[in-house]
Amino acid sequence: MPASRLILAALLLAGAQEKENKPAPTVRLRLSSERRLNPSREMPVRFTIENATEGDLEIDEPADYLDGLEILDGDGKVLKKFGAGSAKKRTVKVEKGGFIGRVLDIT
C-alpha cells in the first residue's frame, strides 16, 4: 500500500475517533420541593432542565414530567408509581444558561 494511502487512512481513523470521544452536551436536571413533603397536603415539586453548555442546545422536553417517577419510603419500598405515558416530547431550543421546567403537584 502506498505511503499516501496509509497517511490518509490514519487521518480518517483519527478523525473518526475524535468524534467518538467528544463529550455529550451537558444538561442539569434539578428537582426541588419543600423540605418535608406531607401526603395530606399539596406536594409541589419543581422540575428544571438547564442548558449547561457554552452555546444553544436543542432539548427534548418531556410531555409528562412525571413519567417513570417513583416515590419511595425510607426502606426503598415504592409508595406511589407514576406510569409511563405515551405523550410525545417536544424539542425546545434553549440558549446558554437557559432552562425549561414545570412545577407539578405529586400528591
Side-chain angles (χ1 to χ4, degrees), residues 49 51 55-59 92-100:
I49 303 170
N51 178 0
D56 293 352
L57 183 64
E58 288 190 353
I59 297 175
V92 181
K93 188 172 183 178
V94 180
E95 69 278 355
K96 174 185 172 181
F99 58 92
I100 57 176

Side-chain angles (χ1 to χ4, degrees), residues 5-64:
R5 285 192 183 173
L6 286 174
I7 293 171
L8 178 61
L11 290 174
L12 291 173
L13 181 60
Q17 289 175 345
E18 278 182 24
K19 289 180 184 174
E20 292 173 8
N21 293 334
K22 286 185 180 179
T26 303
V27 296
R28 289 188 190 110
L29 176 62
R30 297 175 195 226
L31 301 176
S32 57
S33 66
E34 294 179 13
R35 257 183 100 167
R36 184 175 181 106
L37 297 174
N38 184 345
S40 64
R41 296 185 10 216
E42 285 186 353
M43 295 191 301
V45 175
R46 180 183 308 271
F47 295 83
T48 308
I49 303 170
E50 179 185 348
N51 178 0
T53 65
E54 294 299 316
D56 293 352
L57 183 64
E58 288 190 353
I59 297 175
D60 288 335
E61 181 181 23
D64 183 358

